[in-house]
Amino acid sequence: MANTFERREKKTSFPTSDMAALKARIAPYMNPDPYNKDDQPYMICNLYYDGEDDHVIRNSVQLPKYKEKLRLRSYGVPTAESKVFLEIKKKYYGVGTKRRTKLRLCDVESYLETGVHPQGLSYIDEQVLREIDYYRSHETVSPRVYVSYLRWAYHAKDDPSFRVTFDSDILTRRYDLDLKLGRYGEPALTPGKTLLEVKFSGAVPLWFARIMSEFNLTFHTFSKVGTNFKLYTYDRACELQPDEEHYLRLIH
């Protein structure tokens, strides 16, 4: 298991009705992840950590030169004994790095509550937790936002570092902040849309740029947590349900 990733990420959204055609176009160049068995998506569930004033996401949506955040991720709905990933994510001038450790959920919860490292960690896992220790020493954070989605993932046949993912049925919530409770919440993307994310270390291949042109796709800024924050602050400002038209503009 890789503990460290460094890459750029670009995002766009497209009509879900185009997904089959888009998958067919990238098929000659890309292989599906082994987790996408029989072309079925796999489930990703996340908890994002922030302060009560949401200062981490407030800073992030302003697109600073440097930002960092703490995330807990599971594949599927976990139990206390399931292995999950505790990650520290950083971005500097558009280049993202991710350091993560794989632990039982019960051990992660104990560590986050007490600060005591689990026994028997590998050298790399110990180093990752020390980085997270440092982050928590100057950031007072706790579970703040739940985000879950269904993902199809692909990697280029000639360059596994080039990845394309399709995320659909993105749900977020600011309550019941426990991965064990399951996948539910409010949508974070316009109905009928799917999020496409490109991850690369060098440059986007020319063949993929041509495919994007065929489908009239252009990269734009989108954050699952950022969208949740916009909806949350809009609801608080209005103190009533937002009108449907404005709601759709926020999650587009």
Side-chain angles (χ1 to χ4, degrees), residues 99 160 173 181 237:
R99 297 266 285 163
R173 65 179 189 252
L181 295 179

Side-chain angles (χ1 to χ4, degrees), residues 49-50 55-56 68-70 88 130-141:
Y49 289 72
D50 206 332
H55 65 273
V56 175
E68 57 185 347
K69 61 187 173 184
L70 183 64
I88 183 79
R130 288 181 181 179
E131 289 186 35
I132 295 174
D133 286 342
Y134 177 74
Y135 174 80
R136 296 176 68 212
S137 73
H138 62 83
E139 292 283 2
T140 302
V141 295

Side-chain angles (χ1 to χ4, degrees), residues 46-48 143-147 171-179 181-187 228 232 235:
N46 304 286
L47 281 181
Y48 287 85
R144 191 68 175 163
V145 180
Y146 172 94
V147 180
L171 301 176
T172 69
R173 65 179 189 252
R174 284 179 167 259
Y175 51 89
D176 296 348
L177 297 175
D178 185 335
L179 294 179
L181 295 179
R183 188 182 124 78
Y184 54 91
E186 292 71 50
N228 170 274
Y232 170 68
D235 282 345

Side-chain angles (χ1 to χ4, degrees), residues 108-215:
V108 171
E109 292 174 333
S110 176
Y111 160 70
L112 292 173
E113 181 179 352
T114 66
V116 177
H117 292 196
Q119 296 294 314
L121 294 178
S122 68
Y123 174 79
I124 295 298
D125 286 335
E126 183 69 34
Q127 288 297 108
V128 173
L129 278 191
R130 288 181 181 179
E131 289 186 35
I132 295 174
D133 286 342
Y134 177 74
Y135 174 80
R136 296 176 68 212
S137 73
H138 62 83
E139 292 283 2
T140 302
V141 295
S142 60
R144 191 68 175 163
V145 180
Y146 172 94
V147 180
S148 179
Y149 38 92
L150 305 179
R151 169 168 286 183
W152 290 264
Y154 300 83
H155 58 271
K157 294 178 180 179
D158 61 349
D159 179 11
S161 69
F162 179 70
R163 289 173 53 81
V164 172
T165 60
F166 302 114
D167 294 342
S168 68
D169 197 14
I170 303 170
L171 301 176
T172 69
R173 65 179 189 252
R174 284 179 167 259
Y175 51 89
D176 296 348
L177 297 175
D178 185 335
L179 294 179
K180 300 188 295 294
L181 295 179
R183 188 182 124 78
Y184 54 91
E186 292 71 50
L189 196 61
T190 307
K193 291 279 191 176
T194 292
L195 183 68
L196 183 155
E197 188 166 348
V198 179
K199 310 167 196 290
F200 56 98
S201 55
V204 174
L206 182 58
W207 60 262
F208 188 77
R210 288 170 175 161
I211 292 174
M212 289 191 63
S213 179
E214 291 175 23
F215 285 83

Side-chain angles (χ1 to χ4, degrees), residues 48-51 53-64 67-69 135 144-145 174 223-230 232-233:
Y48 287 85
Y49 289 72
D50 206 332
D53 59 354
D54 293 300
H55 65 273
V56 175
I57 186 58
R58 287 179 189 274
N59 176 63
S60 181
V61 297
Q62 294 175 17
L63 304 178
K67 58 184 178 179
E68 57 185 347
K69 61 187 173 184
Y135 174 80
R144 191 68 175 163
V145 180
R174 284 179 167 259
S223 166
K224 301 177 182 80
V225 179
T227 299
N228 170 274
F229 177 68
K230 293 175 185 177
Y232 170 68
T233 53

